[in-house]
């Protein structure tokens, strides 16, 4: 398999109970690229994202068919530990969800899980993660403040720092900027550009401009199906399907 | 624009109901307080009863209630807490879980005397603990379990799902996420419920009646397998079973006041914990 393919999705069907929420999705997610998932609400893009790190395992009645490979390994094979998968594939949620702990403890949370680090190493890793998330300058004197005291944009970057701290290979972002103002959004978008040098990123977004700005590839979902996927500039300038064009030009959605 | 008459009448009736309830409660409390306070003294709180319970204090009953409540807590709190964690975090929703939950709700409505009988059969006879502190404490524990489980489950419900998901997304196992990112925020709420359940148990007479409480014993219990005196039972005896009921009435009132005070203290601590909890959840 092409070693540029980080995640490889074939014939993926996903059920909530008896409801088929994703129909035969096939998608390659390329290493060190940003893949944007777009589509109207309820089209399955968030469901798809949550299949990628087995977050849907936690949903009652959820069932997955098909194949998702991470570096050629099937993440849904019975030998795979979903906990290990989630350590390699991090996630940033739509609504920033800092824990009711200090700024420091939020970032350190994932690092403490197996607790292999000395105090100094922990501090260094927290600092590095915050720098990578472009938040360090703003919070370096506030490490012991409650995370809830940060602004909305800072909280979301804190959640990104928290995800980076455990050094995942892939980062899944579920509309990470949907609750943020334009300036905070811009910061997140710049950050994504920076992060793709080291990580593979999949981002769900409702915002067409955002998809156009941050992503290399765009996948358009509609009613549980992956309608079209291509390089982002292609999707936004010369989509090959009428339905894609209708959506990105705002004729429906 | 003027308020409509039906609105006014409705408001008036609701206010009246509220005031009436407070008034009745107030009269009861005032009655117990005014009649009981005269009896309260250092001797009353620290000495055993003398001369056929017409003189002396109620120390053995205070101690008995305290110890039996302690056994209740040690038994019911961990068990109830873990059961709630299982039900809320691990059990798959379905017929079985619904049935378990329904049973728990129903158990909390079972009259306490039934628990008393059950305690006799299970602890006193089957486990051969005899009529003792241990049997009574465990019986009260059973009585409070449904309340404890329900309260703990409610407390777990208040912890946002995003705390769990956030932890899972960082590669935490389920138990790790629960231990570090759910329980710390649920425990204060759990304690509040537990204390309220306990304050109910501490005032119960029926469950301890057959399982360990004694009419009068001249010495303090020396082990968990001894009988004991307890405040509610002592009160019951003084009020209905004593050979000179009129004479011991002040002692009965004093006992009632001590019991009320104890329960008031417990409830106050529940309020305090809840207050601290809100502060903490606010972050």
């Amino acid at each position: 398999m092409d070693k540029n393919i980080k995640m490889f999705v074939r014939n993926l069907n996903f059920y909530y109970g008896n409801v088929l929420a994703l129909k035969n999705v096939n998608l390659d997610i390329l290493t060190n690229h940003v893949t944007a998932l777009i589509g109207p609400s309820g089209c399955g893009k968030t469901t798809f994202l949550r299949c990628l790190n087995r977050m849907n395992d936690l949903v009652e009645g959820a069932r997955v068919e098909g194949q998702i490979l991470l570096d050629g390994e099937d993440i849904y094979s019975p030998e795979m530990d979903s906990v290990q998968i989630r350590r390699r594939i991090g996630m940033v949620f739509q609504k920033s969800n800092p824990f009711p702990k200090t700024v420091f403890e939020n970032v350190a949370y994932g690092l403490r899980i197996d607790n292999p680090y000395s105090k100094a190493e922990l501090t260094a890793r927290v600092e590095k993660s915050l720098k990578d998330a472009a938040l360090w300058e703003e919070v370096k004197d506030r490490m012991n403040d409650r995370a809830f005291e940060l602004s909305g944009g800072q909280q979301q970057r804190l959640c990104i720092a928290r995800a980076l701290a455990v050094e995942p290979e892939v980062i899944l972002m579920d509309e990470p900027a949907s609750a943020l103002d334009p300036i905070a959004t811009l910061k997140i978008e710049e950050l994504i550009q920076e992060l793709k040098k080291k990580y593979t990123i999949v981002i769900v977004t409702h915002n067409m401009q955002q998809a156009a700005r941050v992503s290399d590839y765009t996948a358009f979902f509609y009613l549980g199906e992956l309608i079209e996927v291509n390089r982002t500039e292609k999707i936004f300038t010369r989509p090959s399907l009428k339905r894609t064009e209708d959506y990105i030009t705002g004729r429906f959605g | 624009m003027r308020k409509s008459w039906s609105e006014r009448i409705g408001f008036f009736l609701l206010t009246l109901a509220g005031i009436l309830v407070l008034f009745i409660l107030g009269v009861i409390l005032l009655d117990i307080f005014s009649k009981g306070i005269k009896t309260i003294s250092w001797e009353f709180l620290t000495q055993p009863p003398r001369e056929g319970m017409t003189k002396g204090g109620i120390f053995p009953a205070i101690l008995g209630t305290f110890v039996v409540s302690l056994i209740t807590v040690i038994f019911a709190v961990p068990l109830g807490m873990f059961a709630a964690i299982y039900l809320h975090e691990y059990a798959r929703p379905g017929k079985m879980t619904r049935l378990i939950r329904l049973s728990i709700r129903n158990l909390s409505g079972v009259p306490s005397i039934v628990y008393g009988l059950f305690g006799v059969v299970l602890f006193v006879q089957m486990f051969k603990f005899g009529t003792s502190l241990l049997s009574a404490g465990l019986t009260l524990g059973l009585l409070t379990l449904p309340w404890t489980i329900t309260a703990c489950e409610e407390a777990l419900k208040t912890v946002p799902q995003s705390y769990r998901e956030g932890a899972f997304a960082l590669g935490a196992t389920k138990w790790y996420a629960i231990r570090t990112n759910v329980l710390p925020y649920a425990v204060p709420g759990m304690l509040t419920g537990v204390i309220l359940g306990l304050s109910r148990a501490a005032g119960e007479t029926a469950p301890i009646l057959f399982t360990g409480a004694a009419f009068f014993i001249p010495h303090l219990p020396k082990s968990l397998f001894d009988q004991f005196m307890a405040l509610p039972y002592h009160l019951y005896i003084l009020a209905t079973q004593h050979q000179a009921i009129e004479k011991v009435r002040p002692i009965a009132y004093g006992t009632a006041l001590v019991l009320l005070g104890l329960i008031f203290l417990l409830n106050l601590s529940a309020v305090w914990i809840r207050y601290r909890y809100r502060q903490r959840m606010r972050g």
Side-chain angles (χ1 to χ4, degrees), chain A residues 50 55 60 87 99 101 109, chain B residues 92 165 171 180-181 185:
Chain A
R50 291 168 63 99
M55 211 60 175
E60 205 48 46
R87 227 169 271 188
F99 304 143
K101 303 174 192 291
Y109 186 85
Chain B
R92 296 194 158 263
E165 289 202 333
T180 60
N181 227 20
Y185 312 113

Side-chain angles (χ1 to χ4, degrees), chain A residues 101-107 139 142-143 145 147 150 158:
Chain A
K101 303 174 192 291
T102 63
V103 171
F104 182 89
E105 283 304 325
N106 261 278
V107 183
V139 301
R142 305 179 63 183
M143 296 305 276
D145 284 11
L150 302 179
L158 183 71

Side-chain angles (χ1 to χ4, degrees), chain A residues 108-202:
Chain A
Y109 186 85
L111 297 170
R112 284 194 195 280
I113 290 177
D114 287 334
N115 209 10
Y117 305 109
S118 68
K119 185 94 184 73
E121 210 174 338
L122 195 69
T123 312
R125 278 172 185 267
V126 168
E127 181 178 332
K128 181 168 179 308
S129 308
L130 285 166
K131 280 178 176 160
D132 288 347
L135 188 58
W136 175 250
E137 286 306 317
E138 292 159 60
V139 301
K140 63 183 175 191
D141 302 318
R142 305 179 63 183
M143 296 305 276
N144 292 319
D145 284 11
R146 314 287 300 179
F148 292 152
E149 289 165 22
L150 302 179
S151 74
Q154 288 172 332
Q155 288 190 17
Q156 192 58 299
R157 275 178 287 146
L158 183 71
C159 293
I160 294 175
R162 193 172 68 189
L164 296 180
V166 292
E167 300 182 320
E169 298 156 39
V170 182
I171 300 174
L172 310 176
M173 296 183 169
D174 187 3
E175 298 185 53
S178 67
L180 302 181
D181 65 56
I183 294 167
T185 302
L186 187 68
K187 279 194 176 158
I188 301 272
E189 288 180 8
E190 285 170 357
L191 180 58
I192 291 170
Q193 291 310 310
E194 207 47 47
L195 291 176
K196 79 170 184 186
K197 292 172 189 163
K198 279 201 266 179
Y199 305 92
T200 303
I201 294 173
V202 185

